[in-house]
Amino acid sequence: DSLLARVAFVAELPSAFDGAWDVHRTIMEAEAALSIGAGIDLCDPGFSDILRALMERGRAISRDQLAEARGKQAALREAFARHIGPFDALLTPAVTGEAPLAALSTGSPVFCTLWSLLGVPAITLPLLTGANGLPVGVQLVGAFGGDETLLSAAAWLCRRLGRYDLLSEDTSGPAAPAAAKGDALVFKNARNNV
């Protein structure tokens, strides 16, 4: 019985989110250049070509372009709040596939980038296993400020799937809502094995 088969509702984000990764890149590169660019210049030999290229791209972004990107970020936050409103959490991929060998890279951040841009809580759980026996993470994402509900939902999901090995022994945390706000995922009391 697959994880997806246990999810009651599947939805896609509206097309307004299609350009979110470009907005994230603009803000990240511009703010990196503003905050650490001078330090990079002072210690030039100690930094990678990748970081220096990021600084160059960030310095090329005008204040007007940064302000426009921040405006888009605010609009996306509002759109996401409307989208997640009926739900306690969204279940999404965390990665593009099985974990890479540690020496190669940490993997692609593509499925985490949007949540970082929006400033919403997200938790990755290694609930699946790839062909090489390495973990494949799934991610639960919550509403802005919904950290406790998200952690309770994650604990509920781990218990529901029998993954007690991922749970802390401390069960004094908050309970998830008695029922979901809509017809998506139903989270009972996270301290009960439901």
Side-chain angles (χ1 to χ4, degrees):
D1 179 40
S2 75
L3 182 60
L4 187 57
R6 297 175 189 219
V7 176
F9 181 75
V10 177
E12 292 186 25
L13 288 174
S15 61
F17 289 87
D18 290 350
W21 288 261
D22 293 331
V23 172
H24 178 272
R25 179 178 291 273
T26 298
I27 293 171
M28 179 190 68
E29 291 179 350
E31 290 183 350
L34 289 170
S35 64
I36 64 170
I40 298 290
D41 292 342
L42 292 174
C43 303
D44 187 62
F47 293 96
S48 69
D49 292 340
I50 293 171
L51 184 58
R52 281 195 291 261
L54 186 145
M55 290 298 116
E56 287 177 31
R57 289 191 307 271
R59 288 177 177 139
I61 296 169
S62 71
R63 291 198 182 271
D64 288 343
Q65 289 171 312
L66 179 56
E68 180 183 352
R70 287 179 178 154
K72 289 178 182 177
Q73 178 186 38
L76 289 169
R77 281 183 179 149
E78 290 176 17
F80 184 71
R82 288 190 302 276
H83 187 73
I84 197 172
F87 310 107
D88 295 308
L90 299 179
L91 179 67
T92 72
V95 292
T96 57
E98 190 172 16
L101 296 175
L104 300 177
S105 78
T106 60
S108 170
V110 68
F111 291 118
C112 304
T113 300
L114 178 60
W115 318 127
S116 295
L117 173 68
L118 301 178
V120 296
I123 185 168
T124 298
L125 303 168
L127 297 178
L128 305 173
T129 304
N132 295 317
L134 295 173
V136 177
V138 298
Q139 190 170 214
L140 283 175
V141 180
F144 184 82
D147 301 57
E148 288 183 7
T149 298
L150 179 67
L151 291 173
S152 293
W156 175 88
L157 183 60
C158 289
R159 285 186 180 92
R160 184 73 179 203
L161 297 175
R163 291 298 309 269
Y164 300 98
D165 58 308
L166 299 176
L167 298 171
S168 165
E169 297 208 12
D170 177 12
T171 59
S172 63
K181 298 175 196 168
D183 63 348
L185 302 175
V186 177
F187 300 123
K188 303 283 186 187
N189 185 320
R191 288 182 291 246
N192 294 332
N193 184 15
V194 294

